[in-house]
Amino acid sequence: MLKYSDAHCHLLDNPDVDSALSNARACGVDTFIVAPSCITQWPEIIKLTNKYPFVFGLVGVHPWHVCELPQEWMSELRKKLIENPKIMVGEIGLDKNRPHMDLQIKVFTHQLKIAHEFSRGIHLHCVGCWNMVLQILDENKNALPPFILAHGFNGRAEDIEKIADRYNIYFSYGPRALRQRLGVSRILKTPLSRILVESDDIDSCVIPSLLQKISEILNVETDILADIIYKNTKQIV
């Protein structure tokens, strides 16, 4: 059976996480990167990561929740990263559809610096703010994380090759990308060494069919692409 990986999922929102993992592994999904939906899920993310060697967790402040933060959130984030070397930072970023952009930028920049401090990769949520994100990355070019995973990448297809090496970015695509003409264009522009797949959901069983559809778009045999994406994922966990 081919080995698959889910580069970004929200399994903690599934009422039966253990069954969700078991079912997905039966489908060949071998590696899971699990994101919290909110800061209160950090302890469960860590617990799940410690329980299963094939689960890799994230802790971070989503741009949707920047107004809900306790005063000590940064010290708590640092504490979690110190205690859990397997944990990455995410998902973090900017979202034009949400208010308080100044605060979003402040929280994102703090987390970017913390990720650099602890040498952890980040999962980036960016909606309609790629110019601002790239500006922030340039302003912090000497203090960037070891890699960036652009979760559900929705920036300009023509920028992909330019920013991939500049910021060590991997580009992750889920079912939504396949429903959009621009999503397909982005997939076609993504170097094979930088492409990942994600469910962005509570069920990772969609990964094999998703990868097959992407292999058809790229005109690459499914087993070859599965191996490439699996190896790409292992580069960042």
Side-chain angles (χ1 to χ4, degrees), residues 40-61:
T40 57
Q41 287 187 342
W42 287 5
E44 288 301 309
I45 287 282
I46 291 168
K47 182 179 177 181
L48 193 67
T49 300
N50 290 334
K51 182 177 181 180
Y52 294 110
F54 48 83
V55 171
F56 300 84
L58 309 173
V59 293
V61 178

Side-chain angles (χ1 to χ4, degrees), residues 187-216:
I187 290 169
L188 286 167
K189 285 284 189 178
T190 303
L192 289 181
S193 62
R194 295 287 179 170
I195 194 167
L196 300 168
V197 292
E198 62 175 55
S199 67
D200 191 24
D201 204 349
I202 64 173
D203 183 0
S204 297
C205 289
V206 301
I207 293 296
S209 62
L210 173 65
L211 194 142
Q212 182 175 357
K213 291 172 184 175
I214 292 177
S215 74
E216 292 168 1

